[in-house]
Amino acid sequence: MLKEFSKDSIVFEAKTLEEVYEKATKSFSCSITELDIDIIQIPTKGIFGLFCKDAIIQAKLKLKKTTEVINSKSENIKTNEKNKKVKVETLSSKLEELKNEEQSSNDEKTKEEVFEVKQVKKEKIFEDFYDRKEQILHETPVVKKENTGIEQEIKKEINNLFSKLCYEIDEIQVKILDDNETIYIEFSGVDSALLIGKEGYRYKALSYILFNWLHEKYGKMLKLEVAQFLENQEKSIYAYLEPVIQTIKDEGFYKTKILDGVLVHIALTKLRDEFPDKYVAVKTTQKGDKYILVNEYRN
């Protein structure tokens, strides 16, 4: 579509900017560098084919060269002076544009870098949670407190907290396991599976929050069950570890496949229980993926 706004400028419209630029150059029979272009509308794809927008620009030819308007020496001098002024102004404006673009680019880069740093830190908190939990379990003694009333206190507080959610969940079950160091918390009910999230990201976040609260306030560890998620994860990892354990018994060492989140914790606990006299530790690849290495202790 073409629509004249003035004698020397024309409006062009097309699906994309590339197409609309091509229309403009064909209409003026020149290259894109010889045109002054104002973008009136950026094209958008819309949603499911609806609300899409075409690209719209307004274009006109730049000032003609001095050689085309020479009529006399006096006119030539005036034109040259005018062109010099235009060139100076153009150069100045271009430099200013480049400066503004560079500043804008730096600002955007800074924003992206800050976002990436925050995102990495946020993800690292949840990725390191199970490693940190296991390190505390095996390297530092847990401060034992009297269990009288703790179970009921935790149950009351956690049910009161999650009663504010819009999810339909049953009464949250809380009990202290036989080792007197671990609190078992179970979420069940119609909407309890929503607390797991895609690939277990909500489960990991919930585990991290509850673990820090229990360990700081009561000196206890956490075993969290949400809609049988933990049970299903344990079954799958135990099935994977059966031949692994046999290989370790035969050869003395093993490197597991890449594991994620709660699977790392379950596998680490199982292998340490099976091989208390061996070196069993979580390792991280250059990409940040985690696996478990089982080997003999070095002398």
Side-chain angles (χ1 to χ4, degrees):
M1 184 184 83
L2 297 178
K3 178 182 176 183
E4 289 197 18
F5 274 4
S6 64
K7 292 181 180 180
D8 56 351
S9 66
I10 302 177
V11 172
F12 299 89
E13 181 176 347
K15 294 292 183 183
T16 65
L17 285 173
E18 289 78 6
E19 292 177 6
V20 82
Y21 286 155
E22 186 178 353
K23 281 188 176 182
T25 54
K26 286 183 179 179
S27 176
F28 285 102
S29 299
C30 65
S31 69
I32 195 70
T33 58
E34 296 178 83
L35 296 176
D36 280 330
I37 297 175
D38 291 326
I39 298 176
I40 299 173
Q41 179 171 283
I42 299 292
T44 58
K45 294 183 179 179
I47 303 174
F48 303 115
L50 302 175
F51 311 112
C52 56
K53 295 181 180 180
D54 291 345
I56 303 176
I57 64 170
Q58 182 178 354
K60 65 179 181 180
L61 283 170
K62 293 181 179 179
L63 292 175
K64 293 183 180 180
K65 296 180 180 179
T66 306
T67 53
E68 295 178 0
V69 293
I70 297 178
N71 295 318
S72 64
K73 289 183 180 180
S74 58
E75 289 180 356
N76 188 31
I77 293 171
K78 290 180 182 179
T79 305
N80 284 337
E81 290 176 352
K82 182 179 180 181
N83 284 341
K84 285 179 182 179
K85 184 178 180 181
V86 169
K87 287 180 181 178
V88 170
E89 290 177 350
T90 303
L91 179 59
S92 177
S93 63
K94 289 295 182 184
L95 288 173
E96 187 65 27
E97 286 178 10
L98 288 173
K99 182 180 178 181
N100 291 336
E101 287 177 4
E102 184 178 357
Q103 182 63 37
S104 176
S105 176
N106 289 337
D107 291 344
E108 289 298 323
K109 187 176 180 182
T110 302
K111 289 179 182 178
E112 290 176 2
E113 287 174 350
V114 170
F115 174 77
E116 287 175 0
V117 169
K118 288 182 178 178
Q119 195 69 12
V120 168
K121 286 182 177 178
K122 183 178 178 182
E123 292 173 358
K124 186 173 177 57
I125 287 175
F126 298 122
E127 287 300 320
D128 291 347
F129 163 60
Y130 292 104
D131 290 347
R132 178 190 169 201
K133 176 178 176 181
E134 201 59 35
Q135 184 179 4
I136 293 172
L137 268 170
H138 290 273
E139 294 184 5
T140 60
V142 177
V143 179
K144 294 185 178 181
K145 298 182 179 180
E146 293 295 330
N147 290 331
T148 307
I150 288 181
E151 189 175 298
Q152 292 303 317
E153 182 180 332
I154 293 173
K155 185 174 182 179
K156 180 180 178 181
E157 290 189 21
I158 200 169
N159 274 283
N160 181 56
L161 174 63
F162 283 90
S163 65
K164 312 299 180 183
L165 294 180
C166 58
Y167 297 136
E168 184 179 341
I169 57 177
D170 297 337
E171 183 181 34
I172 302 166
Q173 300 301 312
V174 177
K175 64 179 179 180
I176 299 176
L177 298 182
D178 294 337
D179 60 3
N180 290 325
E181 295 179 348
T182 306
I183 303 294
Y184 175 80
I185 298 178
E186 181 179 358
F187 287 79
S188 59
V190 178
D191 294 335
S192 59
L194 298 175
L195 295 174
I196 297 171
K198 185 179 180 181
E199 297 180 358
Y201 80 94
R202 287 180 183 165
Y203 177 93
K204 289 162 68 175
L206 185 59
S207 298
Y208 179 79
I209 293 169
L210 293 176
F211 166 73
N212 278 279
W213 168 52
L214 293 173
H215 190 263
E216 181 177 347
K217 187 171 182 179
Y218 302 102
K220 302 293 184 182
M221 306 309 292
L222 169 69
K223 184 173 183 180
L224 177 65
E225 177 65 277
V226 179
Q228 295 183 313
F229 176 75
L230 181 62
E231 180 183 344
N232 294 332
Q233 294 294 298
E234 286 178 337
K235 286 180 180 178
S236 66
I237 199 65
Y238 288 164
Y240 163 73
L241 288 177
E242 281 185 13
V244 170
I245 291 170
Q246 187 58 48
T247 301
I248 296 171
K249 289 178 179 178
D250 295 339
E251 300 180 6
F253 65 92
Y254 196 84
K255 175 182 173 182
T256 69
K257 65 180 182 179
I258 299 300
L259 302 171
D260 179 53
V262 68
L263 295 180
V264 179
H265 169 64
I266 296 171
L268 187 65
T269 302
K270 178 67 173 176
L271 291 173
R272 279 180 171 166
D273 289 342
E274 288 286 338
F275 305 101
D277 298 328
K278 288 186 179 292
Y279 174 79
V280 183
V282 177
K283 299 293 182 180
T284 305
T285 67
Q286 291 182 345
K287 295 181 179 180
D289 298 324
K290 297 182 185 298
Y291 64 92
I292 297 174
L293 178 66
V294 181
N295 209 339
E296 302 291 344
Y297 280 105
R298 294 180 181 179
N299 294 327

